[in-house]
Amino acid sequence: MTSREPALSVVVPMFNEESVLPLLVERLRPVLDGLGEPYEVVAVDDGSTDATPIVLTGLRRGWPQLRVIRLRRNSGHQAALTAGLFRARGGYVASIDADLQDPPEVLVDMLRLARDETLDIVYGVRADRSTDTAFKRSTAGLYYRLVRRLVGNTVPAQAGDFRLLSRATVEALRELPERRPVLRLVVPWLGFPSGEVRYVRDQRAAGSTKYSLSRMVRLATDSITSFSGAPLRLATWLGAGGMLLCTVMLVLAIIAYFRDSTVTGWASLYVAVLFLGAVQLLCLGLLGEYIARIYTAVQGRPSYFVGSDTADLVEQPAPDADLAEPLPPSAAAAPAARNGATRSVR
Ligand code: UDP
Ligand code: MG
């Protein structure tokens, strides 16, 4: 294996993680150095607005295996992760959060398991989430139950984005036309042989969570709508239920008419109108979710833009002596930008 193809790439998406980075390096580096094999750490700076890029530049001076990809704007955890996965060069590609909630030591077990049992995917499964807040635990529990119901049991419960993938799996992911893949669902769906390593999820080592409630809701909505038309069928069932209810009410109204007691009942009528209105709005909302996804897909915009990649800087070919004419700065920058755009199409 050449130095261009490390045995392992570790992708670390990060957004405003200046405080946790030195701690991460302190724990991750000994683990990776201890492997005794060539590796790279792909830090994906997801458009941080704090000192993260500066800290990364400093860290890179003392750690040549650290590669920094900077996205032009904050694109979200999944997009940053995808950017790192698609640009990683390792025979195996692992992904881990920057905040040390996923213990780096587990990476060694994952790699060993993948090799010993010739597995393409090894999931890090959270054996214990007692360090998470009660709210996070219960919403996560609900999320995994729902997703397993919709996608099937191939999705391991309590497995986030801490996992190891073989090169074949990464290439299969790249083949997919999806722009915003929810990796924790798409990866099991690929059907490669997989295994699990259980670990205890620690507390965030420093800084605060970057997953706001709205981001969590978005991940859940993306997960469901990208994998299942079931909510649309729910609309059908609600519609059918509403019609049945109305038929019953019609029968009751006819009976009431023949019994001469038609004055009462305005309240039930009122409720029925409100109920049907709500069902219609709900169904429109569901349709809107899917139409929004189709719209995004048709627009075809990349989910991220790579601004710079330190690997591109290092590996620029030396200018040919015969073609010594210097390129204008804009033209020189063009290949990297183009490269970023085409990569991000997936
Ligand atoms: N993250 C990112 N882009 C974002 C939000 C988060 O790259 O827009 C990174 C973040 O820096 C961390 C990982 O995604 O490395 C998981 O985020 P976080 O720990 O805040 O989520 P939580 O563990 O609280 O669910
Ligand atoms: Mg975290």
Side-chain angles (χ1 to χ4, degrees):
M1 202 159 272
T2 69
S3 63
R4 289 176 64 87
E5 292 165 2
L8 176 70
S9 297
V10 180
V11 176
V12 195
M14 53 188 76
F15 176 57
N16 291 350
E17 299 286 9
E18 57 179 5
S19 53
V20 94
L21 277 179
L23 304 171
L24 174 73
V25 174
E26 215 171 274
R27 277 216 19 222
L28 183 60
R29 187 165 186 182
V31 171
L32 297 178
D33 284 345
L35 287 175
E37 294 180 72
Y39 69 87
E40 66 171 358
V41 173
V42 184
V44 185
D45 175 6
D46 187 12
S48 297
T49 48
D50 67 353
T52 299
I54 299 161
V55 177
L56 282 172
T57 309
L59 289 170
R60 240 175 69 74
R61 278 192 210 113
W63 196 11
Q65 287 93 338
L66 178 62
R67 173 178 165 195
V68 179
I69 294 177
R70 171 137 173 108
L71 303 189
R72 257 186 264 157
R73 48 188 289 276
N74 179 241
S75 311
H77 177 218
Q78 292 293 307
L81 202 54
T82 312
L85 280 184
F86 289 175
R87 292 200 141 224
R89 295 167 299 191
Y92 286 96
V93 184
S95 49
I96 187 168
D97 285 355
D99 59 1
L100 287 173
Q101 283 199 281
D102 311 323
E105 296 75 21
V106 176
L107 288 172
V108 180
D109 303 329
M110 288 179 164
L111 194 59
R112 194 183 309 125
L113 186 70
R115 283 179 171 158
D116 289 354
E117 299 192 12
T118 17
L119 300 174
D120 281 283
I121 306 168
V122 179
Y123 301 103
V125 172
R126 298 158 189 185
D128 173 26
R129 291 188 72 134
S130 54
T131 51
D132 279 339
T133 60
F135 176 72
K136 185 105 191 175
R137 274 207 307 274
S138 51
T139 48
L142 196 70
Y143 171 77
Y144 285 116
R145 263 209 305 281
L146 189 68
V147 157
R148 275 162 75 86
R149 209 186 166 96
L150 292 174
V151 185
N153 286 344
T154 48
V155 181
Q158 301 296 342
D161 288 304
F162 183 32
R163 66 174 99 73
L164 181 88
L165 304 177
S166 65
R167 172 86 350 232
T169 315
V170 175
E171 293 308 320
L173 277 174
R174 290 166 64 116
E175 300 284 311
L176 295 177
E178 277 181 72
R179 311 238 150 199
R180 245 169 48 189
V182 179
L183 291 166
R184 60 182 76 176
L185 304 188
V186 171
V187 168
W189 175 80
L190 290 173
F192 283 99
S194 64
E196 293 180 359
V197 171
R198 299 181 82 75
Y199 73 100
V200 177
R201 191 148 162 90
D202 289 331
Q203 239 151 11
R204 183 175 246 283
S208 58
T209 178
K210 308 298 173 311
Y211 254 91
S212 58
L213 182 64
S214 62
R215 277 176 192 248
M216 278 161 66
V217 170
R218 183 160 173 193
L219 179 68
T221 319
D222 277 352
S223 303
I224 296 165
T225 53
S226 69
F227 250 90
S228 173
L232 286 174
R233 284 194 289 279
L234 174 82
T236 316
W237 284 111
L238 278 175
M243 272 183 72
L244 197 73
L245 198 74
C246 285
T247 316
V248 172
M249 293 197 71
L250 188 72
V251 173
L252 289 178
I254 292 170
I255 294 172
Y257 176 76
F258 284 113
R259 283 186 175 176
D260 251 0
S261 57
T262 44
V263 185
T264 56
W266 69 268
S268 53
L269 198 68
Y270 192 64
V271 168
V273 169
L274 277 186
F275 174 74
L276 285 180
V279 167
Q280 281 170 0
L281 284 179
L282 184 78
C283 298
L284 271 181
L286 285 175
L287 277 177
E289 277 300 326
Y290 285 90
I291 291 173
R293 285 194 75 84
I294 297 169
Y295 178 59
T296 314
V298 170
Q299 273 181 321
R301 288 190 192 144
S303 61
Y304 60 84
F305 295 100
V306 174
S308 62
D309 182 345
T310 50
D312 292 344
L313 299 178
V314 177
E315 284 168 22
Q316 286 220 337
D320 195 318
D322 297 335
L323 303 167
E325 195 177 294
L327 286 168
S330 58
R338 255 205 320 270
N339 193 10
T342 46
R343 291 281 186 173
S344 53
V345 161
R346 297 182 181 278

